[in-house]
Amino acid sequence: MSNFEFYTPTHVYFGRDTQRQVGDLVRAQGCKKVLVHFGGQSARRSGLLDQIEASLDAAGVAHVQLGGVVPNPHLSLVYQGIDLCKKEGVDFILAVGGGSVIDSAKAIGYGLCMDGDVWDLYDHTRKAEGCTPIGVVLTIAASGSEGSPDSIITNEKTLEKNGAEADCLRPCFSVLDPALTESLPAYQTACGITDIMAHTFERYFTNTPDVEVTDRMLEGVLLAMLHEGRRVMDDPHNYEARANIMWAGMVCHNDIMGVGRQQDWNSHHLEHVLSAKYDCAHGAGLAVVMPAWMEYVCGHDVMRFARFAVNVFGCEMDFAHPERTAQAGIRRLRDFFRTLGMPATLEEVGGRAEDIPAMVAHRCEKPNGFPFGGFVKIQEVDMEAVLRRCAN
């Protein structure tokens, strides 16, 4: 196990109706005015925004709204949010939604603490100077942004989807009521489960030896997602299943299971290319990319993939041919994604095989575009090979 530091300042309020105390939580931050940041009109129709506004009013906290966040959140709305916050004197941002809303809120918070273009932080040409404090009322269990130091933003003009990371991006508090996710369409729920599993895999596939504690934790989350994923798809109103999924989203991305070990992130790098170009759901893109990436790199450490197959999917270990066990596990993962209603091919997320060379070339144009990843370093030829597998 490698040396590490672990820091998680986010105060979590978990359970039914916890969103009703949000006014007191915001007031305790000592702020003067809050930006309530959200996505579409579902937050209004469901009554959630009304509850939050009533709680803020009761606590005597002034607030202003900005909705309109879309999946793969746009840089243009971030700019709009920064301008609005400066005009209104906002000193706290409350994200009401899922990962896209939270990431957009973090970007706005970033922009309020710097001069110049906030995209410089996502383009990695500048370092963060700070972030306006963020709070979260979570409505989608998926990204883990409610406890992570990460934010992903799409520059819709250049079709780039980039991430920024800094501990100042971790929310001050996150309110997690699993019941708020019960109204989600099945497809969104499935995308969330896939994203949670992806965050787990990005840590699980490592070259660091002797990390048995976090190995077991990661395998436990994967087993829970198999169990709870099936339960929630059968019964969307299963509160306990949704509670376990929501908590998994937090713990698999606040990095408690990633400490002391090298991490990978190849699948996320590859998926960001797809969702930036085709505007597909992040979880859907991951369902396409992850099994293809696994098949391509399996030979790098076949015993790690065989362990995954045995410990997560219950495959029988073939000691004479461990690669057969490894491939059986990958097939079962793809089959599980299918049971959730997730896509398996590039074409199913709106992609085209003929776009692959251009996507690779676009990555080449980015600073430090290649190589990327930790478990296996991906070069141009590898990226094209993985995407070709996605197209088959």
Side-chain angles (χ1 to χ4, degrees):
M1 184 184 295
S2 306
N3 292 1
F4 66 86
E5 293 183 19
F6 179 64
Y7 173 68
T8 176
T10 305
H11 195 141
V12 178
Y13 299 85
F14 191 101
R16 291 186 186 274
D17 296 325
T18 43
Q19 71 275 10
R20 296 184 184 275
Q21 60 185 305
V22 72
D24 292 335
L25 299 179
V26 173
R27 183 177 59 189
Q29 298 297 320
C31 65
K32 297 178 181 178
K33 197 167 191 178
V34 177
L35 173 69
V36 180
H37 198 35
F38 59 98
Q41 291 303 309
S42 60
R44 176 67 69 190
R45 290 194 300 269
S46 68
L48 178 58
L49 281 180
D50 292 337
Q51 291 179 14
I52 289 171
E53 289 167 350
S55 183
L56 292 170
D57 290 339
V61 177
H63 50 90
V64 63
Q65 292 185 0
L66 178 63
V69 181
V70 297
N72 306 310
H74 289 173
L75 179 62
S76 57
L77 189 67
V78 170
Y79 290 149
Q80 185 179 338
I82 293 169
D83 290 342
L84 177 63
C85 288
K86 289 179 177 179
K87 177 182 176 182
E88 295 286 342
V90 165
D91 56 1
F92 190 89
I93 304 172
L94 182 66
V96 181
S100 295
V101 174
I102 303 167
D103 285 3
S104 183
K106 290 177 177 180
I108 293 170
Y110 249 166
L112 290 174
C113 293
M114 64 179 289
D115 295 323
D117 190 350
V118 69
W119 183 249
D120 292 344
L121 302 179
Y122 292 83
D123 206 24
H124 307 127
T125 56
R126 290 178 61 181
K127 292 186 178 181
E129 300 171 18
C131 182
T132 300
I134 307 290
V136 172
V137 178
L138 188 65
T139 63
I140 302 174
S143 75
S145 191
E146 65 274 11
S148 81
D150 304 295
S151 169
I152 309 291
I153 296 296
T154 297
N155 185 332
E156 64 269 40
K157 290 186 177 180
T158 63
L159 295 181
E160 291 178 277
K161 185 176 180 180
N162 291 353
E165 179 182 358
D167 274 326
C168 63
L169 289 181
R170 292 185 188 265
C172 301
F173 66 79
S174 287
V175 174
L176 278 60
D177 179 357
L180 296 179
T181 69
E182 290 185 20
S183 62
L184 289 174
Y187 187 78
Q188 276 189 287
T189 298
C191 284
I193 293 167
T194 305
D195 197 8
I196 290 168
M197 294 179 72
H199 290 156
T200 311
F201 286 130
E202 300 287 19
R203 293 167 170 88
Y204 186 74
F205 291 105
T206 182
N207 295 312
T208 308
D210 299 319
V211 282
E212 188 67 13
V213 171
T214 46
D215 273 348
R216 294 291 186 179
M217 293 169 69
L218 291 161
E219 288 167 358
V221 166
L222 292 169
L223 286 165
M225 289 302 95
L226 297 182
H227 177 69
E228 304 298 357
R230 294 181 180 108
R231 286 213 299 169
V232 80
M233 298 310 287
D234 289 340
D235 178 11
H237 299 288
N238 188 323
Y239 176 87
E240 297 303 335
R242 289 193 176 276
N244 280 293
I245 292 168
M246 182 171 271
W247 186 237
M250 168 67 83
V251 300
C252 81
H253 205 38
N254 70 359
D255 216 31
I256 187 65
M257 295 186 295
V259 295
R261 59 193 295 144
Q262 179 197 46
Q263 300 181 21
D264 184 57
W265 299 101
N266 271 325
S267 295
H268 272 71
H269 282 296
L270 292 165
E271 194 290 321
H272 288 167
V273 174
L274 300 187
S275 51
K277 184 169 183 60
Y278 303 118
D279 202 28
C280 60
H282 180 52
L286 287 168
V288 173
V289 166
M290 277 192 296
W293 172 82
M294 289 180 179
E295 289 172 344
Y296 185 74
V297 304
C298 181
H300 173 72
D301 187 352
V302 70
M303 291 305 295
R304 172 135 297 253
F305 281 94
R307 172 179 174 152
F308 148 72
V310 172
N311 290 359
V312 177
F313 279 104
C315 298
E316 184 176 351
M317 182 64 195
D318 185 339
F319 289 97
H321 303 282
E323 68 280 0
R324 294 178 182 174
T325 305
Q327 290 297 332
I330 297 168
R331 287 195 299 272
R332 291 193 186 185
L333 175 65
R334 185 178 275 117
D335 290 344
F336 175 70
F337 287 153
R338 276 297 195 195
T339 68
L340 296 179
M342 288 287 91
T345 66
L346 183 64
E347 289 75 12
E348 291 176 73
V349 294
R352 303 182 306 166
E354 53 263 40
D355 293 337
I356 292 174
M359 288 191 283
V360 175
H362 190 263
R363 176 85 193 189
C364 289
E365 296 171 359
K366 297 180 64 174
N368 303 315
F370 290 98
F372 59 84
F375 184 63
V376 174
K377 293 296 183 183
I378 296 295
Q379 303 283 358
E380 295 98 313
V381 64
D382 304 306
M383 178 177 173
E384 179 161 353
V386 173
L387 293 179
R388 293 286 178 196
R389 285 176 178 265
C390 294
N392 295 328

